[in-house]
Amino acid sequence: MHAVSLEPPPVITAAALRRALIVGARRVIAACDELNRINVFPVPDGDTGNNLAATFGAVLHGALSRRSRQVGELLERVGEDAIDGARGNSGAIMAQFLVGSAERLRQRQVLDVEGLSSAVRRGAEAARAALAKPVEGTILSVIEAFSAALEDGARLQQRSPRRLFADALERAHAALAATPRQMAVLQRAGVVDAGARGFVVWLEGIAAYADGGLATLRAHGGLPLPAQDAGPVAHSHETIDPQRRYCTECLLVGEAIDRVALRAALEAQGVDSLVIAGNARRVRVHGHSGQPQRIFDIGAGFGRVEAMKADDMLRQQRSAQSPGLVAIITDSASDLPEDLAERFGIHMVPVRVSLDGRDYLDRLGLGVGEFYRRMRASAALPKTSQPPPGDFRRVFDQVLACQSAALYVGLSRPLSGTLQSAETAARDHEAKLRCFDTRNVSAGQALLAWRAGELAAAGADPAAIEAELLRLRPLTRTFAMARNIEHAVRGGRIPRWAAPLVRWTGLTPVAAVTEQGVLKVAGGLLARQRAPEAFARYVARHVPAGQRWRVIVGHADAAEDGARMLAALRQRLTVAGDHLVEIGPAIGAHAGPGTLLAGLQPASG
């Protein structure tokens, strides 16, 4: 007769699970560069490591930063924080895996073998269901293999959670190694799937805690990663669809959000790489689109739209292909002509714009023409806000994952907190990233970004680029003319008594950016019908003669006036290169429709 064991089966407590998840998250963050390097699917934009690091970083600073009494409570918090912080395709899938796993463990105090297997199975199902078009050979395949191994092991009696997990990890390693045989794009690049590798790295961290205990927790994620091939990956072998160039994401907050209907609405708009992750209250939307605002607008029909972002994957890919060049970044207040941004691969961080109770990303979320049309019809004035440090941090992380150095060419400090926001984000990259105060705005800022991009493309180092910008900064001039000051009066930027004075006298105010980076009224023009030409004469009189100039003329919903002014400047100055641009919402919200703006910079060479 066999003896019956009276010992209770081994279980995982909430405290032990929390510590294991901390080590796993830290290990993924430590593997960030490796995961970026092998990222070729679904698009070769080299940011899978950043995305997973951001996702797990949100969990580390949230649910894992405080104790939980129950396993179910802990995993529910982990899932919610992962949804809130999820970034990218792999981050959203990982977040949904965590949310799904928590669904089977509500109210559970501890985790046993059966509970572990059941939770991971539900997580695998939830992760697969989050994708509109699941693909094998990705993180989904590895999650499935891991889950199946846990189910197989759970059927055997007297198996400890630790042993069960170790055996399932072996199966996950085998599934990871098989991913290149499942996807030709991986085989051509000679890599495994980056998202799948990130999932396995996370499992390895959990297993390391199970084996090493508190010693691994004290290592702060500094566990040695298994050796990987450090050779470069030819990201250029695969292309990004220009019609779906923006990796677009947002968080929807509401009650009883219908994820099935949301997915159908987004699929009808042709959104690619679509992931809908979350629960009935909080949903993370990820997709690739040429028009990010479509995703945000559809999302607004299901809940409150938060945490909007739209990353240009073509620019990210260009960074991955230019490891030896300095990355140049600016913000949308620069009004940089799009053809210059494309030519020199200049990255853009959008300013936030609020209009009619909705928040938008400058240019990406709200087109310039639509902005002015709605602004004219709106009873309330639009408002702008600086990009939060997180927006800058995301771009800085992306470019520095591929390129050795970066330079941010920023909006004048006295005019906005945008530069300070960028400096806050740059603290993590002090050795490789510089923030330059242009002491300028709009066209003047764009001229300095143009020159920086030109030098970076020619192979100049950060010190040389910054030295040239310092030389050009006091020589770069920006002037603005407001034909209609009613908008500025409504916004309180011009006193109310000035409006009737301008109407009675026909005086058109002219402002200029000082060398200290402050915008001040500099004079006025007595001109009505020929105001653009009069403004051109004013500008020509206030810059040194005998100089060759680069010129950018901007207009706020006044294309004909802008063209007339540029033509007049060409007649009065020696112009070495010029551009006519629409003033975007970041500046137009303050200047108002009809404003003309001119930036001039001495041409180099």
Side-chain angles (χ1 to χ4, degrees):
M1 187 173 181
H2 297 288
V4 177
S5 174
L6 297 179
E7 293 183 6
V11 295
I12 302 170
T13 65
L17 180 59
R18 171 177 168 266
R19 291 192 289 265
L21 293 175
I22 288 173
V23 176
R26 287 174 176 171
R27 191 167 180 129
V28 173
I29 293 170
C32 179
D33 290 343
E34 176 208 333
L35 300 177
N36 284 334
R37 184 184 61 78
I38 65 174
N39 172 207
V40 296
F41 181 85
V43 290
D45 51 354
D47 66 353
T48 292
N50 292 337
N51 292 338
L52 283 173
T55 304
F56 280 108
V59 175
L60 271 178
H61 291 95
L64 298 182
S65 68
R66 56 190 185 276
R67 293 181 174 85
S68 296
R69 293 173 297 177
Q70 301 176 347
V71 162
E73 175 189 55
L74 171 64
L75 286 179
E76 185 174 9
R77 289 176 176 174
V78 165
E80 289 182 352
D81 286 342
I83 289 295
D84 285 358
R87 188 189 298 174
N89 187 283
S90 54
I93 295 171
M94 188 72 217
Q96 187 64 9
F97 169 78
L98 293 169
V99 168
S101 297
E103 290 177 359
R104 292 283 172 86
L105 299 174
R106 291 193 176 98
Q107 306 304 318
R108 284 219 184 188
Q109 295 279 348
V110 295
L111 185 63
D112 57 16
V113 165
E114 180 185 355
L116 175 62
S117 172
S118 175
V120 171
R121 168 48 59 195
R122 178 64 190 118
E125 294 169 351
R128 186 172 291 272
L131 273 75
K133 297 178 181 178
V135 177
E136 298 306 324
T138 64
I139 187 174
L140 294 178
S141 299
V142 177
I143 291 175
E144 174 59 34
F146 179 68
S147 177
L150 288 177
E151 288 179 318
D152 292 343
R155 296 189 188 100
L156 303 175
Q157 296 182 2
Q158 304 301 322
R159 298 291 296 276
S160 70
R162 176 180 171 185
R163 185 63 220 164
L164 180 68
F165 192 93
D167 291 346
L169 177 55
E170 288 186 15
R171 189 92 64 91
H173 275 126
L176 174 65
T179 56
R181 297 194 295 273
Q182 294 174 284
M183 279 203 293
V185 60
L186 301 177
Q187 195 167 45
R188 285 194 297 271
V191 297
V192 296
D193 179 68
R197 170 65 182 152
F199 181 74
V200 169
V201 167
W202 179 63
L203 297 181
E204 289 171 346
I206 295 172
Y209 173 77
D211 291 337
L214 291 175
T216 57
L217 189 68
R218 287 191 291 266
H220 293 286
L223 303 168
L225 294 168
Q228 300 291 318
D229 176 14
V233 175
H235 293 279
S236 60
H237 286 179
E238 309 302 326
T239 58
I240 293 171
D241 182 358
Q243 301 304 312
R244 296 182 175 90
R245 68 186 293 171
Y246 295 104
C247 180
T248 307
E249 292 180 357
C250 64
L251 179 68
L252 302 183
V253 180
E255 296 293 334
I257 298 174
D258 188 340
R259 286 179 284 166
V260 174
L262 173 63
R263 174 185 293 168
L266 291 169
E267 285 184 310
Q269 291 295 318
V271 178
D272 195 23
S273 296
L274 181 59
V275 183
I276 308 293
N279 52 37
R281 302 180 308 277
R282 305 181 78 82
V283 174
R284 172 67 62 175
V285 178
H286 167 280
H288 296 171
S289 173
Q291 296 178 293
Q293 189 58 39
R294 286 187 179 179
I295 293 179
F296 303 145
D297 285 343
I298 290 172
F302 291 83
R304 186 174 72 253
V305 180
E306 297 181 356
M308 298 178 296
K309 72 98 170 168
D311 294 335
D312 190 332
M313 295 182 292
L314 285 177
R315 300 275 164 82
Q316 292 177 18
Q317 185 182 45
R318 183 163 177 173
S319 286
Q321 296 167 344
S322 310
L325 301 182
V326 176
I328 302 300
I329 304 134
T330 189
D331 55 74
S332 63
S334 68
D335 290 320
L336 181 70
E338 182 59 25
D339 61 336
L340 292 179
E342 288 283 357
R343 187 189 315 170
F344 299 114
I346 300 173
H347 299 262
M348 185 76 68
V349 178
V351 171
R352 304 300 178 97
V353 181
S354 178
L355 181 62
D356 294 333
R358 286 277 307 277
D359 291 334
Y360 300 90
L361 300 178
D362 184 7
R363 296 182 184 269
L364 294 178
L366 186 62
V368 177
E370 176 67 7
F371 167 76
Y372 287 114
R373 184 189 69 77
R374 291 173 57 181
M375 189 172 89
R376 290 179 188 275
S378 177
L381 290 173
K383 298 178 181 179
T384 62
S385 60
Q386 66 207 41
D391 285 7
F392 283 104
R393 188 176 295 112
R394 189 176 65 252
V395 176
F396 294 164
D397 287 347
Q398 288 166 356
V399 299
L400 290 174
C402 306
Q403 297 178 259
S404 59
L407 177 68
Y408 164 62
V409 183
L411 174 61
S412 174
R413 190 185 303 277
L415 296 179
S416 168
T418 300
L419 184 68
Q420 182 177 353
S421 185
E423 290 170 338
T424 299
R427 289 171 187 164
D428 295 336
H429 302 288
E430 290 179 351
K432 300 195 296 182
L433 175 64
R434 302 176 185 219
C435 294
F436 182 80
D437 183 354
T438 64
R439 297 182 187 171
N440 226 303
V441 65
S442 189
Q445 183 184 353
L447 286 164
L448 289 162
W450 175 4
R451 183 59 178 150
E454 192 174 49
L455 291 170
D461 62 32
I465 298 173
E466 190 169 25
E468 174 68 352
L469 296 189
L470 284 169
R471 182 187 72 83
L472 287 172
R473 183 166 65 185
L475 306 177
T476 302
R477 304 296 309 279
T478 300
F479 303 87
M481 180 191 75
R483 295 190 72 176
N484 183 349
I485 68 168
E486 295 293 337
H487 181 82
V489 170
R490 287 175 61 201
R493 288 175 286 277
I494 292 179
R496 290 191 176 277
W497 57 261
L501 178 64
V502 168
R503 284 196 299 269
W504 295 333
T505 64
L507 186 70
T508 302
V510 173
V513 178
T514 69
E515 286 193 23
Q516 291 73 39
V518 178
L519 185 67
K520 289 187 175 182
V521 174
L525 302 172
L526 288 171
R528 290 184 181 272
Q529 300 300 321
R530 302 287 294 172
E533 290 77 11
F535 186 30
R537 290 194 299 271
Y538 177 94
V539 170
R541 288 197 306 268
H542 286 80
V543 296
Q547 177 69 262
R548 295 171 62 251
W549 297 96
R550 281 182 168 178
V551 176
I552 294 178
V553 169
H555 67 87
D557 201 29
E560 182 180 348
D561 282 357
R564 286 167 53 189
M565 182 188 175
L566 181 56
L569 283 174
R570 288 171 180 158
Q571 294 175 355
R572 289 167 174 79
L573 300 173
T574 302
V575 177
D578 59 64
H579 292 266
L580 178 65
V581 299
E582 290 182 291
I583 300 172
I587 304 302
H590 303 282
T595 297
L596 293 180
L597 191 146
L600 298 92
Q601 183 183 88
S604 301

